Amino acid sequence: MKYIGKIPEELKYTKEHEWVKIESAHGVIGITDYAQHALTDIVFVELPQVGKKAGQFKPLCVVESVKSVSDIFAPVSGDVVEVNDNLSNNPEHVNQDPYGIGWIAKIKVFDESEVKNLMNAEEYKKYLEGLEH
Amino acid sequence: MHYVSNTEEQIKEMLDVIGANDVSELFKDVPQSLILKEKLKIPSALSEMEVGRLLKSIAAKNNTGMISFLGAGAYCHFIPTIVNHLLLRGEFFTAYTPYQPEISQGMLQAIFEYQTIICNLTGMDAANASMYDNSSALAEAAIMACRIKNKNKILISRAVHPEHREVVKTYTNANSIELIEVGCSNGTTEIGEHKDFAAILVQQPNFFGLIEDLNAISDFAHENGALLVVSVNEPTSLGILKSPGSYNADIVVGEGHSFGNPISFGGPFVGFMATKREFVRQIPGRLAGQTVDSEGRRGFVLTLQAREQHIRREKATSNICTNQALNALAVTITLSTLGKELKNLAIQNLHKSHYAVNSMENAGIKRVFTAPFYNEFVVEVKDLKKASENLIKNGILPGLDLGKFYPEHKNRMLFCITEMHTKEQVDELVGALSSD
Amino acid sequence: MKLIFERSVKGRKAVELPKLDVPLQANLIPEEFIRQELDMPEVSELDVIRHYTALSRRNFGVDNGFYPLGSCTMKYNPKINEDMARLEGFSQLHPYAPEESSQGALQIIYELQQYLKEISGMDAFTLQPAAGSHGELTGIMIVKKYFESMNEKRTKILIPDSAHGTNPASATLCGFECVEIKSNSEGEIDLDDLKSKLTKDVAAIMITNPNTLGLFERRILDAAKLMHDNNSIVYMDGANLNAMLGIARPGDFGIDILHINLHKTFSTPHGGGGPGAGPVGVKKHLERFLPKPSVEVVDKKYRLNYNLPDSIGRVRAFYGNFGILVRAYTYIRSNGFEGIRAIGENSVLNANYLLAKLKKHYHVPYNRTCQHEFVLTDKYLSNDVSTNDVAKRLLDFGFYAPTIYFPLIVHGAIMIEPTETESKETLDAFAEVMIKIKEESVNDPEILKSAPLTTPVSRLDGVLAARKPILRYERTMALNEPTH
């Protein structure tokens, strides 16, 4: 049976399985429960540098499992203002709590209207159910 | 003599199982026009006795009977007898890269020990499982530094081995990295005014055998926000010289062949590469790491593999795959055997080479540079061609003609004296060199 | 098992040098350069022998048993090769010895180049690259230099999705952008996809033939023609050349640049991961770009030619992994033309025989005559038993595991290459075990999931090793090994 995982209502989602939570012109970014499950044990998160300009759906950083490497794409455009340094020593947080202590980066959003290109929780759930694997 | 096991009868049985009449049917996917109709123009097979005779006759055309004082990147050192005995164990030398760790603990642990020994020698935090040789390791270090610093310019000392500089140039050309040579008119590196570079590459001891002032070069690199890359071409020097790590080097590469690997016309050798903890994820090549098995027992695996080409493909830190594992094993066994005697070995190199220089100076042969040196040195000869002929006449291989690589050093020879040379051999060299 | 450092006993020695026979002098090197500590194991000669003998017994080579590691060509490594490489005339020869003193070594290089030209159909060779991936890098540098010499800016390299990871890594190292070409339903390059991506800025394609599925690219001539019509270069990864020895030649099917792995096709041992050698062959129009120096014959004397103005430069100091070249030379002379052909025939015969025995039991994604290797999948395994479980279980039966999860385009790939040196009996025994493992997946899946049961350690925690890397021994390191 396919693993769908938790999909919090209040977040927005990408087709590449990132989530973003927008609050007062800032967006907190992470990967979804489905993604952490598919990637298996995450062993390293190559955090973006603070100050990096992220473009919507452009590579933001990289996460590694033992035998794979995956790009993480920015759900919205903006400047990286904070990263979750805790992940350097505790990459397992992404597996344990992808929507909480496993967050990856916080960005200052350029254009909040980009959110319309993202999925809400219900749309993401349907999208996952429609995927082949 | 060939090594196929199937008999004619077995081949028939096997074809029956496959459902083919003839082996040629198995190649039906190869377009007919491509199937070779004629025999390859290669001599007919030889028996073991014949091939042995042939190779011995070819080997005999190489004259290895003369006394050699050649170094310059290929050093003749003592290899303990046991090294070859252990290397020839088929479990090691006929194994592939340890992809199945449960059945490859021998090689994985040996790599872990090798990494530890290289770290101890160089004073660095982490070393990889090996590189092809010193030259390619140095080139990879240049690329690694550019990646870390996100810059496109590298400084390299002219006192780095000339062939290593050529290899770095080939690699940096392909990567569109600017490579700037830093001079060494007095034999040691003169840093000069440079800005905005990713790293400076120096060799210690340098190609002329001289000991570089790494404190000054390290400050220069770090004040400019760049990395210090130190290349150790003659690693026995680390038995007596301070480690590059103690000068705050960021990447250390070198040649390991001096430990347990014969000179063998320049290969196979074994490059090493070590770095600081903060740059471990940028290092190319394989890494062995410690872990536990399902019962909590210590074991070793290849780790941080996501850096490598088989996973990260075009985004890998390097394309390196096969390395020099068996040569690295020779390094590990040799250094385990030498142990702390390595210090004595280095001391012997130091004293014998200084004895040679003193004797030459007493005989009126001038040493060219004044900086402290380890086991190699440059001397002036009146007429290089004549001096070479004279040495050969005395059964001695000439030293390296420095003019071949440095037009400014015509009629200068580079000699290397190691623990392998006796006082008598050194005296013969001095005699032959001063006789014209 | 202990590490060599954990066997160290203060004051113990394995070796002693002769007494220094020159006068001791003071202050040869300023104090500031002198090292204070030297952390090395202190062990006896017997300690070293026992330690590394014990380590060797925790390792597995071709000498121990069948090693069906796909694309790695783990054939028998003839012992005579080792003896020949150790002849004093080769092993004690200095790379800067005068050419007159190195005629034998230069002859080996020159003649080996001739043999490789004849076997591969290429026009010129360099033996300088130290490994297959080093050869690839050299080849792609030649591609880059070639277009520079034509004043053409070409930025892309096409790479099939079934390619080995070194291909894109090598292309990127030279600043090229990699463009993936799809495989079609028969496991070959999709020529329509190739056509659609073949723009004017494509410098080359990197082909593996036979490809990593063990299949011959039947439309190789069409693919090469498409590339050549676009003035692009066809590069071939020769990792799988074993299948074609004496049968067909890459130089005859449009390959412009080829690298060969001497440690695969020409029997030099893998040494637990090297040393290898990765000679590169090219067609005439690319010869001038090969690394320098080259080896030539002038007046019946061999000499090194450094005067090659168009060369990409050196890719390695000296002349490559010479000792490996001696082994390959010995192997080619031992086999002769007739033995070389027997390698090609029997490697393909062995693979097809094993495939025929296994295809009733394991899913075969591309059901065709294979070349030197073939790929199975995990599809017919029961109870969630994975490809990895099969690989681990094979270790319990005294076999090494096949290459797994590669090529990436096959789900749960099990890639098997028996090589020509294995006998029918060995293949029968392996097939029997593979079938037994398939049955175990139905009747006793737990044994598969906990395998291997007979090795010195059980499955290792790769996640721990990557999350908390320990890459060297430190004296403070806690020993968590139970005493036996």
Side-chain angles (χ1 to χ4, degrees):
Chain A
M1 208 190 101
K2 180 158 38 179
Y3 184 89
I4 295 280
K6 280 187 233 151
I7 306 177
E9 274 301 317
E10 67 277 18
L11 307 179
K12 299 290 184 188
Y13 300 90
T14 68
K15 287 183 174 173
E16 301 285 350
H17 312 291
E18 292 87 12
W19 57 264
V20 61
K21 181 183 182 184
I22 306 235
E23 263 176 8
S24 53
H26 286 76
V28 178
I29 295 167
I31 65 169
T32 65
D33 196 12
Y34 171 85
Q36 72 75 21
H37 181 81
L39 289 169
T40 69
D41 294 311
I42 288 164
V43 297
F44 183 63
V45 182
E46 195 181 293
L47 293 163
Q49 289 205 327
V50 171
K52 176 181 171 137
K53 285 204 187 318
Q56 189 176 32
F57 307 137
K58 295 281 182 324
L60 174 71
C61 65
V62 165
V63 295
E64 297 178 0
S65 65
V66 173
K67 297 237 158 136
S68 77
V69 181
S70 307
D71 278 321
I72 303 301
F73 299 89
V76 285
S77 308
D79 286 330
V80 176
V81 292
E82 198 183 333
V83 296
N84 184 1
D85 283 323
N86 269 327
L87 297 181
S88 305
N89 290 319
N90 306 95
E92 60 273 21
H93 286 177
V94 178
N95 293 116
Q96 290 162 0
D97 187 6
Y99 300 110
I101 58 171
W103 68 279
I104 291 171
K106 189 172 175 182
I107 64 176
K108 187 169 186 307
V109 181
F110 290 156
D111 178 2
E112 282 194 43
S113 73
E114 282 180 349
V115 171
K116 69 176 186 301
N117 304 328
L118 303 174
M119 290 177 277
N120 63 30
E122 197 179 326
E123 288 163 337
Y124 181 59
K125 183 160 182 280
K126 282 214 178 93
Y127 171 70
L128 289 183
E129 285 164 355
L131 287 180
E132 269 184 31
H133 297 293
Chain B
M1 166 90 201
H2 61 75
Y3 303 96
V4 171
S5 303
N6 299 326
T7 63
E8 285 302 321
E9 196 165 318
Q10 285 180 318
I11 290 174
K12 277 205 198 84
E13 287 170 34
M14 292 164 81
L15 284 168
D16 278 350
V17 173
I18 296 166
N21 295 311
D22 188 89
V23 173
S24 63
E25 280 179 33
L26 304 177
F27 296 97
K28 63 174 189 279
D29 283 353
V30 182
Q32 267 311 303
S33 63
L34 296 178
I35 299 278
L36 285 176
K37 310 290 185 296
E38 287 171 27
K39 290 174 192 160
L40 290 174
K41 291 178 201 67
I42 284 177
S44 193
L46 297 175
S47 66
E48 180 170 314
M49 268 200 281
E50 289 164 315
V51 86
R53 236 179 265 147
L54 172 71
L55 269 288
K56 276 174 202 156
S57 74
I58 298 174
K61 295 181 195 169
N62 296 324
N63 183 349
T64 50
M66 289 191 276
I67 309 170
S68 166
F69 296 95
L70 280 169
Y75 302 97
C76 198
H77 286 293
F78 169 60
I79 300 176
T81 302
I82 59 172
V83 175
N84 211 24
H85 287 269
L86 289 168
L87 281 187
L88 276 174
R89 288 193 65 97
E91 297 91 333
F92 286 134
F93 96 82
T94 70
Y96 200 73
T97 302
Y99 287 138
Q100 292 292 338
E102 297 83 2
I103 206 166
S104 311
Q105 282 301 296
M107 197 39 108
L108 284 161
Q109 181 171 329
I111 295 170
F112 186 80
E113 293 178 357
Y114 165 84
Q115 291 173 180
T116 304
I117 282 190
I118 294 299
C119 288
N120 289 352
L121 274 179
T122 56
M124 303 302 284
D125 298 326
N128 74 7
S130 73
M131 307 293 285
Y132 306 136
D133 74 332
N134 193 160
S135 67
S136 60
L138 185 61
E140 294 257 15
I143 292 168
M144 176 177 161
C146 287
R147 196 166 52 232
I148 289 170
K149 287 293 170 186
N150 203 14
K151 283 185 181 153
N152 232 13
K153 184 159 56 168
I154 291 287
L155 306 185
I156 188 166
S157 165
R158 189 166 165 76
V160 168
H161 193 299
E163 293 195 5
H164 298 186
R165 277 186 283 127
E166 283 182 51
V167 174
V168 172
K169 188 150 185 279
T170 308
Y171 274 67
T172 51
N173 272 350
N175 271 270
S176 309
I177 293 168
E178 187 186 353
L179 185 68
I180 295 172
E181 198 170 271
V182 178
C184 57
S185 54
N186 291 317
T188 53
T189 305
E190 292 144 2
I191 40 196
E193 292 275 318
H194 297 279
K195 278 212 157 37
D196 225 27
F197 53 95
I200 178 163
L201 278 43
V202 295
Q203 184 177 315
Q204 176 82 320
N206 72 24
F207 188 65
F208 311 115
L210 305 174
I211 298 167
E212 296 274 5
D213 181 2
L214 287 185
N215 272 327
I217 299 170
S218 177
D219 289 348
F220 165 71
H222 295 128
E223 278 161 17
N224 280 285
L227 302 184
L228 171 63
V229 177
V230 177
S231 177
V232 185
N233 198 201
E234 169 47 304
T236 63
S237 64
L238 293 174
I240 188 160
L241 294 185
K242 257 190 193 166
S243 70
S246 62
Y247 297 98
N248 201 16
D250 300 285
I251 305 171
V252 179
V253 297
E255 180 51 69
H257 103 86
S258 284
F259 300 125
N261 293 277
I263 47 177
S264 189
F265 207 45
F269 280 8
V270 47
F272 59 80
M273 183 183 260
T275 190
K276 292 176 174 169
R277 182 158 283 277
E278 60 196 286
F279 303 133
V280 165
R281 286 176 189 276
Q282 295 299 329
I283 207 170
R286 296 181 184 133
L287 290 166
Q290 179 181 307
T291 187
V292 293
D293 76 355
S294 54
E295 289 168 45
R297 290 174 294 198
R298 178 171 65 185
F300 301 91
V301 291
L302 292 177
T303 192
L304 304 186
Q305 290 188 79
R307 298 164 299 111
E308 293 184 67
Q309 48 74 27
H310 62 284
I311 293 174
R312 200 169 282 220
R313 297 175 78 85
E314 73 270 17
K315 289 180 186 153
T317 52
S318 166
N319 73 333
I320 191 168
C321 182
T322 287
N323 52 32
Q324 307 284 122
L326 197 70
N327 306 94
L329 179 63
V331 170
T332 311
I333 296 171
T334 302
L335 282 170
S336 299
T337 310
L338 281 175
K340 290 189 187 295
E341 189 74 356
L342 174 61
K343 184 177 175 182
N344 183 23
L345 185 142
I347 286 173
Q348 294 214 1
N349 278 256
L350 183 73
H351 283 274
K352 289 188 183 218
S353 58
H354 283 75
Y355 169 75
V357 163
N358 289 346
S359 308
M360 286 183 191
E361 282 177 341
N362 288 339
I365 301 160
K366 205 179 117 218
R367 183 180 163 230
V368 174
F369 302 115
T370 53
F373 66 101
Y374 172 58
N375 67 358
E376 285 180 282
F377 55 88
V378 179
V379 296
E380 190 100 43
V381 290
K382 269 192 246 93
D383 179 342
L384 191 117
K385 194 157 172 275
K386 237 177 96 187
S388 301
E389 283 165 5
N390 209 18
L391 286 168
I392 290 174
K393 212 163 57 196
N394 283 280
I396 298 171
L397 268 185
L400 184 81
D401 169 7
L402 217 50
K404 190 177 149 193
F405 296 114
Y406 297 88
E408 68 271 34
H409 294 312
K410 283 212 160 45
N411 286 325
R412 288 170 176 181
M413 266 189 193
L414 178 71
F415 286 102
C416 175
I417 317 281
T418 76
E419 78 284 357
M420 302 289 277
H421 296 112
T422 62
K423 178 174 172 294
E424 288 70 31
Q425 289 175 328
V426 175
D427 291 341
E428 277 177 50
L429 168 68
V430 177
L433 208 56
S434 55
S435 69
D436 60 0
Chain C
M1 194 182 133
K2 281 183 174 177
L3 293 161
I4 189 76
F5 311 98
E6 292 161 347
R7 299 188 191 278
S8 188
V9 176
K10 202 169 161 30
R12 192 174 280 170
K13 264 187 179 184
V15 73
E16 225 165 283
L17 292 177
K19 260 179 86 131
L20 187 64
D21 58 357
V22 300
L24 265 178
Q25 291 171 269
N27 305 323
L28 293 180
I29 294 181
E31 194 56 36
E32 63 192 275
F33 294 133
I34 301 281
R35 171 170 209 134
Q36 298 309 317
E37 59 8 284
L38 184 63
D39 191 1
M40 285 287 147
E42 295 178 86
V43 288
S44 69
E45 182 167 318
L46 180 58
D47 289 336
V48 178
I49 287 283
R50 291 234 172 101
H51 180 73
Y52 290 101
T53 302
L55 279 189
S56 76
R57 295 176 65 179
R58 293 159 78 92
N59 223 48
F60 188 95
V62 177
D63 286 3
N64 297 85
F66 185 45
Y67 222 109
L69 201 60
S71 264
C72 298
T73 316
M74 296 301 284
K75 60 173 75 177
Y76 170 63
N77 311 122
K79 303 300 173 191
I80 180 84
N81 298 354
E82 295 305 309
D83 287 359
M84 295 303 103
R86 283 171 175 76
L87 289 173
E88 195 183 302
F90 295 131
S91 68
Q92 299 305 313
L93 182 64
H94 195 281
Y96 290 145
E99 278 173 12
E100 311 82 74
S101 308
S102 319
Q103 286 297 303
L106 297 176
Q107 181 185 341
I108 293 277
I109 293 176
Y110 185 84
E111 290 186 351
L112 181 56
Q113 286 176 355
Q114 301 303 111
Y115 299 149
L116 294 179
K117 277 155 65 174
E118 174 64 15
I119 290 168
S120 68
M122 305 305 285
D123 295 328
F125 261 91
T126 176
L127 307 185
Q128 209 178 91
S133 53
H134 202 208
E136 275 177 35
L137 183 63
T138 306
I140 299 303
M141 284 171 172
I142 292 171
V143 170
K144 186 169 171 137
K145 187 97 190 193
Y146 170 73
F147 285 109
E148 279 171 13
S149 79
M150 310 271 281
N151 276 322
E152 262 192 76
K153 183 130 186 76
R154 298 216 180 193
T155 54
K156 290 180 185 159
I157 291 196
L158 308 182
I159 300 178
D161 54 9
S162 59
H164 196 252
T166 52
N167 291 178
S170 301
T172 308
L173 257 179
C174 296
F176 286 104
E177 182 195 335
C178 304
V179 179
E180 193 171 271
I181 304 293
K182 287 197 190 72
S183 299
N184 63 22
S185 60
E186 300 203 289
E188 293 177 59
I189 293 172
D190 183 333
L191 286 191
D192 292 328
D193 195 41
L194 170 61
K195 272 182 219 159
S196 73
K197 285 163 182 167
L198 188 53
T199 46
K200 275 289 158 206
D201 53 355
V202 169
I205 188 168
M206 296 180 87
I207 285 177
T208 306
N209 194 23
N211 65 26
T212 57
L213 295 162
L215 303 173
F216 193 88
E217 295 280 352
R218 287 171 293 193
R219 298 184 64 190
I220 183 71
L221 290 167
D222 299 331
K225 180 160 192 317
L226 280 173
M227 296 305 294
H228 290 150
D229 286 348
N230 196 51
N231 290 323
S232 306
I233 288 175
V234 184
Y235 181 96
M236 183 173 131
D237 180 331
N240 296 339
L241 190 68
N242 212 44
M244 289 163 58
L245 290 184
I247 308 291
R249 312 194 305 170
D252 298 339
F253 51 72
I255 304 302
D256 302 302
I257 307 178
L258 164 77
H259 90 259
I260 294 176
N261 301 68
L262 295 187
H263 48 293
K264 295 179 181 179
T265 315
F266 295 98
S267 87
T268 77
H270 289 61
V280 172
V282 295
K283 281 298 176 66
K284 198 76 200 159
H285 63 294
L286 298 172
E287 182 175 3
R288 64 194 170 108
F289 303 111
L290 285 174
K292 61 182 174 185
S294 65
V295 179
E296 316 172 325
V297 192
V298 179
D299 297 335
K300 293 186 183 162
K301 288 250 187 269
Y302 298 97
R303 50 163 240 164
L304 291 160
N305 182 6
Y306 289 86
N307 185 21
L308 303 166
D310 295 325
S311 161
I312 56 164
R314 275 185 175 281
V315 294
R316 190 196 178 284
F318 309 126
Y319 324 107
N321 279 346
F322 177 73
I324 302 302
L325 309 181
V326 176
R327 290 170 175 87
Y329 182 95
T330 306
Y331 180 70
I332 290 174
R333 293 306 304 264
S334 299
N335 274 285
F337 68 86
E338 57 276 60
I340 298 279
R341 188 181 167 91
I343 295 167
E345 289 180 344
N346 284 276
S347 68
V348 173
L349 173 70
N350 277 357
N352 277 290
Y353 177 67
L354 203 46
L355 173 61
K357 294 202 97 172
L358 290 176
K359 69 180 173 191
K360 292 188 258 342
H361 307 274
Y362 284 82
H363 171 242
V364 182
Y366 304 98
N367 195 2
R368 287 170 45 185
T369 302
C370 67
Q371 299 296 299
H372 64 301
E373 67 188 3
F374 58 92
V375 174
L376 307 173
T377 86
D378 56 358
K379 202 168 175 178
Y380 295 168
L381 295 168
S382 309
N383 293 313
D384 276 338
V385 166
S386 70
T387 287
N388 191 49
D389 298 332
V390 174
K392 297 300 181 200
R393 185 67 176 139
L394 278 168
L395 308 182
D396 282 333
F397 291 99
F399 298 116
Y400 202 80
T403 294
I404 53 174
Y405 301 110
F406 184 83
L408 306 174
I409 55 170
V410 176
H411 187 266
I414 304 172
M415 186 200 221
I416 297 172
E417 178 180 11
T419 83
E420 75 283 1
T421 53
E422 296 300 334
S423 65
K424 177 174 175 292
E425 303 91 277
T426 302
L427 303 180
D428 287 339
F430 178 75
E432 213 170 283
V433 165
M434 283 293 284
I435 294 163
K436 183 180 160 67
I437 289 173
K438 165 86 185 307
E439 285 161 6
E440 283 182 342
S441 85
V442 179
N443 304 324
D444 196 0
E446 280 321 301
I447 201 166
L448 288 175
K449 288 172 190 174
S450 52
L453 306 171
T454 59
T455 46
V457 291
S458 57
R459 286 194 200 188
L460 290 150
D461 188 344
V463 173
L464 175 69
R467 279 183 180 162
K468 313 273 183 236
I470 300 174
L471 305 175
R472 57 175 293 192
Y473 169 72
E474 291 179 66
R475 302 232 173 266
T476 52
M477 204 160 84
L479 247 184
N480 46 10
E481 189 176 38
T483 46
H484 293 285

